[in-house]
Amino acid sequence: MLRNKSVVSINDIGDDELSEIFKTAGDMEKVLRSGRSLELMKGKIMATFFYEPSTRTRLSFESAMQRLGGSVISVSEAKSSSVAKGETLADTVRMAEGYSDIIVIRHPMEGAARLASRFTSKPIVNAGDGSGQHPTQTVLDLYTIRKELGEISGKTITVVGDLRYGRTVHSLVMALSRFNAKVNLVAPPILKMPDHVVSMLPADFHLNMTENLSDVLPETDVLYVTRIQKERFSDPNEYQSVIGSYKINLETVEAMKEKSIIMHPLPRVDEISPDVDSSPKAAYFRQANNGVPVRMAIISLILG
Amino acid sequence: MDEQTLKISKIKDGTVIDHIPPGKALRVLSILRIDDHVENSISIGIRVTSRRLGTKDVIKIENRDLEKFEVDKISLIAPDATISIVSNYEIIEKFPVELPQRILGIVKCSNANCITNMKEPVQGEFSLLSKKPLLIRCNFCERTMNEREITASLI
């Protein structure tokens, strides 16, 4: 199924493959809980190229490979690597092909991982390309919803925050359109989801765009919060007003259904008040913890 | 052929590009790199009456064949255009332009942050999503482009 395939976009993962990843990730979670060590990827090497800063994604990919018994080689900063010497990404990838069995790339430009996959026969995993795709984050988001609420189909997912530049939400909304889910997109006009993403969604998808979070809170099963970056605003007052209107606090939690959850791809800054963390609805740290078993599943299915 | 088109004289040998949307003829000339250094004899009809389209543009170029990439580019701005190849005043071949499913090397991605706009060894590559309205998607950054963006990004 996923064997030897590159995972660049969420659309590269078919429905059957997604179910297979969910099942394998569940198995991996059991292994992690039991403390057993695995040797599935013994002798295999993963190369990671992070041309953009990342903590969570990078650590969870590297942890996943090592938990599977494989090893990791990495280039952490573009400025210390061949890119600084003017090498193309195409050449970098052709070089890395000889050093590794699977290549993980994060890059500030959209389409970088797809380009990389054209220049090597080794599988490429996209760990985020500019404001483009972040498919493994999407898989772990879907896995989290499924694990927390039992299923994705029939649920109402409200996505709030930076829907314009946030790559995790582009992938996520595209993926949710494959399930029978309803999606509310809540953002100020300046950060609303771009037309080029909306135009990719099926016409019969239950999509509702609004600026008002409180209107949709009572029907929400999953509140997916994303970080609003200050640098996106030319007017600091506008930033303050947007941040103020979308801040998630205990009052927001109260307005939500009893069996609902709050997710966030992290890192968060001011979007969720820390006193929400102790609510059973706060699922964002559990979500982050799912990153390792989900990536273990993806790596082992690609290289299996 | 209707009366209005007949006002444009016939050509002996060359190419006729007909059924161009009204006003787009100049854009087609620019695609064909026809400028003030042109050596061929060319007739251009802008907003001539057409039974099929109401009004249309038409271009007749003496002694000029079109390359495939030129026909592909024309298809992006004039998807209903027809091309006639004329030899000794006779039309020896006539065909409609066809939007290719894979559009390679003729459009630059309009997303400035797309990797294909960097110094990488790839050409712009797009998939045709819809003919009407025209919509294509970059095979690298997955960004879609509409007719207006495509016209502004023809190479």
Side-chain angles (χ1 to χ4, degrees), chain A residues 9 11 88-90 94 107-112 114-115 118-119 130-131 133 196 199-200, chain B residues 102 111-116 118-122 125 129 135 137 139-144:
Chain A
S9 154
N11 297 331
T88 61
L89 180 62
R94 282 191 274 225
H107 198 282
M109 302 203 74
E110 286 101 64
R114 182 70 70 201
L115 180 131
R118 295 281 183 94
F119 288 91
S131 65
Q133 290 264 332
H196 66 85
S199 70
M200 302 262 289
Chain B
R102 182 165 167 266
N111 171 12
N113 204 41
C114 175
I115 192 83
T116 58
M118 297 300 286
K119 239 177 76 187
E120 293 289 341
V122 287
E125 187 191 306
L129 294 185
L135 200 64
R137 181 172 60 218
N139 286 350
F140 289 88
C141 74
E142 302 193 354
R143 194 69 66 88
T144 52

Side-chain angles (χ1 to χ4, degrees), chain A residues 4-297:
Chain A
N4 269 326
K5 267 178 78 170
S6 287
V7 174
V8 173
S9 154
I10 188 67
N11 297 331
D12 293 339
I13 304 175
D15 292 346
D16 291 351
E17 290 163 338
L18 205 48
S19 312
E20 200 184 10
I21 296 171
F22 290 159
K23 188 187 167 298
T24 313
D27 296 343
M28 294 298 176
E29 268 199 81
K30 282 182 207 137
V31 172
L32 289 175
R33 269 200 302 272
S34 74
R36 273 193 298 134
S37 57
L38 288 173
E39 295 205 334
L40 283 171
M41 290 295 117
K42 196 174 176 202
K44 302 276 189 197
I45 297 175
M46 180 170 85
T48 61
F49 289 85
F50 277 71
Y51 294 110
E52 234 184 18
S54 155
T55 310
R56 230 159 320 278
T57 305
R58 183 190 180 121
L59 282 181
S60 82
F61 264 110
E62 298 188 355
S63 165
M65 187 59 171
Q66 292 187 6
R67 293 274 192 208
L68 289 164
S71 49
V72 179
I73 53 175
S74 60
V75 180
S76 54
E77 286 178 82
K79 61 172 187 265
S80 66
S81 77
S82 50
V83 174
K85 297 172 195 156
E87 188 179 46
T88 61
L89 180 62
D91 279 2
T92 305
V93 167
R94 282 191 274 225
M95 168 278 295
E97 180 177 85
Y99 301 166
S100 57
D101 302 291
I102 184 167
I103 300 166
V104 178
I105 293 184
R106 167 168 290 189
H107 198 282
M109 302 203 74
E110 286 101 64
R114 182 70 70 201
L115 180 131
S117 72
R118 295 281 183 94
F119 288 91
T120 171
S121 57
K122 297 285 165 67
I124 296 280
V125 179
N126 184 5
D129 59 336
S131 65
Q133 290 264 332
H134 193 357
T136 62
Q137 174 75 44
T138 303
V139 176
L140 90 84
D141 289 344
L142 296 173
Y143 180 77
T144 303
I145 298 173
R146 204 168 159 268
K147 197 173 136 188
E148 297 275 335
L149 300 177
E151 59 182 337
I152 302 164
S153 172
K155 301 294 179 210
T156 298
I157 291 100
T158 297
V159 190
V160 59
D162 181 355
L163 311 187
R164 181 161 176 200
Y165 301 97
R167 61 184 154 213
T168 54
V169 296
H170 299 170
S171 287
L172 178 65
V173 172
M174 235 178 260
L176 287 170
S177 73
R178 286 158 54 177
F179 294 85
N180 182 26
K182 183 186 170 193
V183 173
N184 295 312
L185 298 177
V186 184
I190 190 176
L191 295 178
K192 78 181 187 61
M193 186 152 287
D195 289 343
H196 66 85
V197 179
V198 178
S199 70
M200 302 262 289
L201 301 168
D204 59 352
F205 182 41
H206 304 286
L207 193 67
N208 168 38
M209 294 195 225
T210 174
E211 284 178 50
N212 194 338
L213 179 61
S214 54
D215 281 357
V216 293
L217 268 184
E219 61 164 9
T220 296
D221 295 297
V222 178
L223 181 61
Y224 195 101
V225 187
T226 63
R227 187 156 59 102
I228 295 177
Q229 287 170 290
K230 204 174 179 172
E231 55 268 31
R232 306 290 187 209
F233 294 82
S234 48
D235 178 359
N237 294 328
E238 196 183 356
Y239 168 75
Q240 286 305 336
S241 96
V242 166
I243 275 288
S245 56
Y246 294 136
K247 182 149 183 162
I248 310 303
N249 50 32
L250 283 176
E251 222 172 281
T252 325
V253 175
E254 282 299 307
M256 291 175 69
K257 282 184 194 173
E258 197 187 327
K259 207 173 175 284
S260 60
I261 55 167
I262 301 168
M263 292 171 65
H264 191 302
L266 304 180
R268 66 159 160 187
V269 184
D270 296 320
E271 311 84 52
I272 304 179
S273 138
D275 53 10
V276 174
D277 297 357
S278 55
S279 161
K281 292 189 174 105
Y284 29 92
F285 294 117
R286 300 195 291 274
Q287 175 189 1
N289 287 338
N290 290 334
V292 173
V294 165
R295 292 188 172 106
M296 285 171 79

